[in-house]
Short mmCIF file of all heavy atoms in Angstrom, two decimals:
data_model
loop_
_atom_site.label_atom_id
_atom_site.label_comp_id
_atom_site.label_asym_id
_atom_site.label_seq_id
_atom_site.Cartn_x
_atom_site.Cartn_y
_atom_site.Cartn_z
N THR A 289 136.24 82.33 138.50
CA THR A 289 135.49 82.19 137.34
C THR A 289 134.96 83.51 136.83
O THR A 289 134.98 83.74 135.57
CB THR A 289 134.30 81.28 137.60
OG1 THR A 289 134.75 80.07 138.23
CG2 THR A 289 133.64 80.83 136.26
N ARG A 290 134.68 84.45 137.72
CA ARG A 290 134.19 85.72 137.32
C ARG A 290 135.37 86.55 136.74
O ARG A 290 135.24 87.32 135.75
CB ARG A 290 133.63 86.48 138.56
CG ARG A 290 132.50 87.47 138.11
CD ARG A 290 131.99 88.17 139.38
NE ARG A 290 131.22 87.37 140.22
CZ ARG A 290 131.24 87.56 141.59
NH1 ARG A 290 131.98 88.43 142.14
NH2 ARG A 290 130.40 86.81 142.34
N GLU A 291 136.56 86.39 137.36
CA GLU A 291 137.71 87.27 136.84
C GLU A 291 138.14 86.78 135.45
O GLU A 291 138.48 87.59 134.68
CB GLU A 291 138.79 87.06 137.90
CG GLU A 291 139.98 87.95 137.68
CD GLU A 291 139.64 89.41 137.87
OE1 GLU A 291 138.74 89.71 138.62
OE2 GLU A 291 140.30 90.27 137.25
N LEU A 292 138.21 85.50 135.26
CA LEU A 292 138.63 84.98 134.01
C LEU A 292 137.46 84.13 133.37
O LEU A 292 137.29 83.08 133.88
CB LEU A 292 139.86 83.99 134.07
CG LEU A 292 141.03 84.51 134.99
CD1 LEU A 292 141.91 83.29 135.27
CD2 LEU A 292 141.85 85.55 134.21
N SER A 293 136.85 84.69 132.41
CA SER A 293 135.63 83.94 131.91
C SER A 293 136.02 82.50 131.47
O SER A 293 136.99 82.30 130.79
CB SER A 293 135.02 84.69 130.77
OG SER A 293 134.16 83.79 130.06
N PRO A 294 135.23 81.53 131.85
CA PRO A 294 135.57 80.11 131.44
C PRO A 294 135.47 79.94 129.95
O PRO A 294 135.89 78.95 129.39
CB PRO A 294 134.51 79.24 132.14
CG PRO A 294 133.51 80.21 132.75
CD PRO A 294 134.05 81.57 132.75
N ASP A 295 134.89 80.97 129.27
CA ASP A 295 134.86 80.84 127.78
C ASP A 295 136.21 81.11 127.20
O ASP A 295 136.57 80.71 126.10
CB ASP A 295 133.95 81.92 127.17
CG ASP A 295 132.50 81.59 127.55
OD1 ASP A 295 132.25 80.46 127.86
OD2 ASP A 295 131.68 82.54 127.52
N TYR A 296 137.17 81.81 127.97
CA TYR A 296 138.41 82.09 127.47
C TYR A 296 139.55 81.49 128.24
O TYR A 296 140.73 81.68 127.84
CB TYR A 296 138.58 83.62 127.47
CG TYR A 296 137.61 84.27 126.50
CD1 TYR A 296 136.36 84.72 127.03
CD2 TYR A 296 137.93 84.38 125.17
CE1 TYR A 296 135.49 85.34 126.09
CE2 TYR A 296 136.94 84.96 124.28
CZ TYR A 296 135.75 85.43 124.84
OH TYR A 296 134.82 85.92 124.01
N ALA A 297 139.33 80.79 129.26
CA ALA A 297 140.42 80.14 130.02
C ALA A 297 139.83 78.85 130.67
O ALA A 297 138.69 78.67 130.89
CB ALA A 297 140.77 81.06 131.17
N VAL A 298 140.66 77.91 130.67
CA VAL A 298 140.31 76.60 131.41
C VAL A 298 140.54 76.80 132.91
O VAL A 298 141.66 77.18 133.29
CB VAL A 298 141.13 75.39 130.90
CG1 VAL A 298 140.76 74.13 131.59
CG2 VAL A 298 141.12 75.33 129.40
N ILE A 299 139.48 76.61 133.66
CA ILE A 299 139.55 76.91 135.15
C ILE A 299 139.03 75.71 135.88
O ILE A 299 137.94 75.16 135.47
CB ILE A 299 138.73 78.15 135.55
CG1 ILE A 299 139.10 79.32 134.63
CG2 ILE A 299 138.90 78.51 137.02
CD1 ILE A 299 138.17 80.52 134.81
N ALA A 300 139.68 75.22 136.87
CA ALA A 300 139.22 74.04 137.62
C ALA A 300 139.79 74.07 139.01
O ALA A 300 140.66 74.85 139.34
CB ALA A 300 139.87 72.86 136.84
N ARG A 301 139.08 73.29 139.86
CA ARG A 301 139.57 73.10 141.19
C ARG A 301 140.39 71.75 141.22
O ARG A 301 139.85 70.71 140.86
CB ARG A 301 138.44 73.01 142.16
CG ARG A 301 138.95 72.76 143.62
CD ARG A 301 137.83 72.76 144.65
NE ARG A 301 138.40 72.35 145.90
CZ ARG A 301 137.71 71.66 146.86
NH1 ARG A 301 136.47 71.34 146.66
NH2 ARG A 301 138.24 71.32 147.95
N LEU A 302 141.61 71.85 141.47
CA LEU A 302 142.52 70.69 141.30
C LEU A 302 142.57 69.89 142.54
O LEU A 302 142.76 68.62 142.54
CB LEU A 302 143.92 71.10 140.89
CG LEU A 302 144.03 71.93 139.61
CD1 LEU A 302 145.47 72.20 139.23
CD2 LEU A 302 143.36 71.17 138.44
N GLY A 303 142.53 70.48 143.71
CA GLY A 303 142.69 69.74 144.97
C GLY A 303 142.09 70.54 146.07
O GLY A 303 141.32 71.46 145.80
N GLU A 304 142.41 70.21 147.22
CA GLU A 304 141.86 70.90 148.44
C GLU A 304 141.67 72.33 148.30
O GLU A 304 140.60 72.98 148.12
CB GLU A 304 142.67 70.51 149.62
CG GLU A 304 141.96 70.82 150.96
CD GLU A 304 142.84 70.41 152.15
OE1 GLU A 304 144.11 70.43 151.93
OE2 GLU A 304 142.28 70.12 153.20
N ASP A 305 142.81 73.09 148.34
CA ASP A 305 142.74 74.51 148.19
C ASP A 305 143.59 74.96 146.98
O ASP A 305 144.19 76.07 146.95
CB ASP A 305 143.23 75.22 149.47
CG ASP A 305 144.65 74.76 149.86
OD1 ASP A 305 145.15 73.84 149.15
OD2 ASP A 305 145.27 75.31 150.80
N GLU A 306 143.62 74.20 145.96
CA GLU A 306 144.45 74.51 144.79
C GLU A 306 143.52 74.60 143.56
O GLU A 306 142.66 73.69 143.32
CB GLU A 306 145.45 73.40 144.56
CG GLU A 306 146.47 73.85 143.53
CD GLU A 306 147.59 72.77 143.48
OE1 GLU A 306 147.43 71.75 142.81
OE2 GLU A 306 148.62 72.97 144.04
N PHE A 307 143.65 75.67 142.77
CA PHE A 307 142.92 75.84 141.54
C PHE A 307 143.94 75.85 140.35
O PHE A 307 145.05 76.23 140.53
CB PHE A 307 142.12 77.14 141.59
CG PHE A 307 141.07 77.10 142.62
CD1 PHE A 307 141.46 77.53 143.92
CD2 PHE A 307 139.77 76.76 142.29
CE1 PHE A 307 140.44 77.48 144.94
CE2 PHE A 307 138.80 76.74 143.33
CZ PHE A 307 139.08 77.13 144.56
N GLY A 308 143.44 75.37 139.20
CA GLY A 308 144.26 75.37 137.97
C GLY A 308 143.72 76.33 137.07
O GLY A 308 142.40 76.36 136.81
N VAL A 309 144.56 77.03 136.24
CA VAL A 309 144.09 78.03 135.24
C VAL A 309 144.98 77.77 134.02
O VAL A 309 146.23 77.70 134.20
CB VAL A 309 144.19 79.48 135.70
CG1 VAL A 309 143.92 80.47 134.52
CG2 VAL A 309 143.18 79.74 136.85
N LEU A 310 144.33 77.64 132.80
CA LEU A 310 145.18 77.72 131.60
C LEU A 310 144.56 78.87 130.75
O LEU A 310 143.42 78.89 130.46
CB LEU A 310 145.03 76.34 130.85
CG LEU A 310 145.93 76.39 129.59
CD1 LEU A 310 147.35 76.05 129.95
CD2 LEU A 310 145.38 75.44 128.58
N CYS A 311 145.36 79.88 130.52
CA CYS A 311 144.86 80.98 129.74
C CYS A 311 145.99 81.49 128.74
O CYS A 311 147.19 81.09 128.86
CB CYS A 311 144.41 82.11 130.66
SG CYS A 311 145.83 82.74 131.54
N GLU A 312 145.58 82.33 127.83
CA GLU A 312 146.59 82.78 126.83
C GLU A 312 147.45 83.78 127.52
O GLU A 312 147.05 84.64 128.21
CB GLU A 312 145.88 83.39 125.65
CG GLU A 312 146.85 83.35 124.47
CD GLU A 312 146.46 84.38 123.47
OE1 GLU A 312 146.45 85.56 123.68
OE2 GLU A 312 146.14 83.89 122.33
N ALA A 313 148.77 83.60 127.25
CA ALA A 313 149.71 84.63 127.80
C ALA A 313 150.95 84.46 126.87
O ALA A 313 151.54 83.41 126.84
CB ALA A 313 150.04 84.41 129.21
N ALA A 314 151.33 85.50 126.18
CA ALA A 314 152.39 85.34 125.20
C ALA A 314 153.74 85.41 125.95
O ALA A 314 154.70 84.80 125.45
CB ALA A 314 152.30 86.43 124.23
N ASP A 315 153.80 86.13 127.04
CA ASP A 315 155.21 86.24 127.74
C ASP A 315 155.08 86.34 129.23
O ASP A 315 153.91 86.28 129.76
CB ASP A 315 155.90 87.50 127.16
CG ASP A 315 154.97 88.70 127.15
OD1 ASP A 315 154.14 88.72 128.08
OD2 ASP A 315 155.08 89.59 126.32
N VAL A 316 156.19 86.42 129.86
CA VAL A 316 156.22 86.47 131.36
C VAL A 316 155.36 87.55 131.87
O VAL A 316 154.58 87.44 132.77
CB VAL A 316 157.68 86.53 131.89
CG1 VAL A 316 157.70 86.77 133.33
CG2 VAL A 316 158.45 85.32 131.45
N GLU A 317 155.50 88.78 131.26
CA GLU A 317 154.75 89.99 131.75
C GLU A 317 153.30 89.78 131.74
O GLU A 317 152.56 90.03 132.72
CB GLU A 317 155.13 91.22 130.94
CG GLU A 317 156.48 91.77 131.16
CD GLU A 317 157.56 90.93 130.61
OE1 GLU A 317 157.37 90.35 129.48
OE2 GLU A 317 158.66 90.76 131.19
N SER A 318 152.76 89.25 130.53
CA SER A 318 151.30 89.07 130.51
C SER A 318 150.82 88.03 131.48
O SER A 318 149.73 88.11 132.10
CB SER A 318 150.78 88.84 129.15
OG SER A 318 151.55 87.86 128.46
N ALA A 319 151.64 86.93 131.66
CA ALA A 319 151.27 85.86 132.60
C ALA A 319 151.26 86.45 134.00
O ALA A 319 150.32 86.25 134.79
CB ALA A 319 152.29 84.76 132.49
N GLU A 320 152.23 87.28 134.37
CA GLU A 320 152.26 87.81 135.69
C GLU A 320 151.10 88.76 135.98
O GLU A 320 150.52 88.89 137.02
CB GLU A 320 153.57 88.65 135.95
CG GLU A 320 154.72 87.69 136.22
CD GLU A 320 156.04 88.41 136.42
OE1 GLU A 320 156.16 89.61 135.92
OE2 GLU A 320 156.99 87.84 137.00
N TRP A 321 150.72 89.50 134.85
CA TRP A 321 149.60 90.43 134.91
C TRP A 321 148.34 89.69 135.33
O TRP A 321 147.59 90.04 136.16
CB TRP A 321 149.43 91.21 133.60
CG TRP A 321 148.35 92.20 133.59
CD1 TRP A 321 148.39 93.37 134.13
CD2 TRP A 321 147.12 91.97 132.92
NE1 TRP A 321 147.13 94.02 133.96
CE2 TRP A 321 146.34 93.16 133.17
CE3 TRP A 321 146.50 91.02 132.14
CZ2 TRP A 321 145.09 93.38 132.60
CZ3 TRP A 321 145.27 91.10 131.65
CH2 TRP A 321 144.58 92.32 131.92
N VAL A 322 148.13 88.53 134.57
CA VAL A 322 146.95 87.75 134.86
C VAL A 322 146.97 87.17 136.30
O VAL A 322 146.01 87.24 137.07
CB VAL A 322 146.73 86.62 133.81
CG1 VAL A 322 145.52 85.68 134.23
CG2 VAL A 322 146.60 87.06 132.49
N ALA A 323 148.16 86.63 136.61
CA ALA A 323 148.37 86.05 138.00
C ALA A 323 148.06 87.14 139.13
O ALA A 323 147.45 86.77 140.09
CB ALA A 323 149.76 85.48 138.12
N ARG A 324 148.54 88.32 138.88
CA ARG A 324 148.25 89.31 139.91
C ARG A 324 146.76 89.63 140.02
O ARG A 324 146.27 89.91 141.06
CB ARG A 324 149.03 90.65 139.58
CG ARG A 324 150.56 90.50 140.00
CD ARG A 324 151.16 91.94 140.08
NE ARG A 324 151.16 92.63 138.81
CZ ARG A 324 152.05 92.42 137.84
NH1 ARG A 324 153.07 91.56 138.05
NH2 ARG A 324 151.97 93.02 136.65
N ARG A 325 146.10 89.67 138.83
CA ARG A 325 144.65 89.87 138.82
C ARG A 325 143.97 88.78 139.71
O ARG A 325 143.09 89.01 140.43
CB ARG A 325 144.11 89.84 137.45
CG ARG A 325 143.97 91.19 136.79
CD ARG A 325 143.47 91.11 135.39
NE ARG A 325 142.36 90.19 135.17
CZ ARG A 325 141.97 89.71 134.02
NH1 ARG A 325 142.68 90.08 132.90
NH2 ARG A 325 140.96 88.95 133.94
N ILE A 326 144.44 87.50 139.53
CA ILE A 326 143.85 86.43 140.28
C ILE A 326 144.06 86.61 141.73
O ILE A 326 143.20 86.46 142.55
CB ILE A 326 144.47 85.10 139.80
CG1 ILE A 326 144.04 84.74 138.34
CG2 ILE A 326 144.05 83.97 140.71
CD1 ILE A 326 144.78 83.49 137.78
N ARG A 327 145.35 87.03 142.08
CA ARG A 327 145.60 87.24 143.53
C ARG A 327 144.77 88.32 144.11
O ARG A 327 144.22 88.19 145.17
CB ARG A 327 147.06 87.73 143.64
CG ARG A 327 148.05 86.63 143.59
CD ARG A 327 149.38 87.07 144.22
NE ARG A 327 149.33 86.92 145.64
CZ ARG A 327 149.93 87.74 146.51
NH1 ARG A 327 150.59 88.76 146.14
NH2 ARG A 327 149.86 87.51 147.79
N ARG A 328 144.56 89.39 143.33
CA ARG A 328 143.77 90.49 143.80
C ARG A 328 142.31 90.06 143.98
O ARG A 328 141.69 90.36 145.04
CB ARG A 328 143.77 91.70 142.78
CG ARG A 328 144.56 92.88 143.36
CD ARG A 328 144.23 94.14 142.59
NE ARG A 328 144.04 93.97 141.17
CZ ARG A 328 145.02 93.90 140.32
NH1 ARG A 328 146.28 93.98 140.67
NH2 ARG A 328 144.79 93.81 138.98
N ALA A 329 141.82 89.33 143.01
CA ALA A 329 140.37 88.90 143.02
C ALA A 329 140.14 87.93 144.26
O ALA A 329 139.19 88.11 145.02
CB ALA A 329 139.97 88.25 141.74
N LEU A 330 141.03 86.97 144.39
CA LEU A 330 140.80 85.99 145.53
C LEU A 330 141.20 86.51 146.82
O LEU A 330 140.79 86.00 147.85
CB LEU A 330 141.61 84.68 145.18
CG LEU A 330 141.25 83.93 143.87
CD1 LEU A 330 141.81 82.54 143.90
CD2 LEU A 330 139.74 83.89 143.69
N GLY A 331 142.06 87.52 146.82
CA GLY A 331 142.59 87.98 148.10
C GLY A 331 141.83 89.06 148.77
O GLY A 331 141.97 89.35 149.92
#
Side-chain angles (χ1 to χ4, degrees):
T289 311
R290 210 184 286 146
E291 189 65 27
L292 311 165
S293 162
D295 292 339
Y296 295 93
V298 181
I299 307 171
R301 180 180 172 209
L302 302 184
E304 194 178 27
D305 54 355
E306 190 175 80
F307 296 85
V309 170
L310 182 82
C311 61
E312 200 200 66
D315 50 32
V316 173
E317 286 73 35
S318 49
E320 280 178 341
W321 180 75
V322 176
R324 280 198 300 276
R325 265 177 46 198
I326 293 174
R327 278 200 85 213
R328 252 197 320 278
L330 300 194

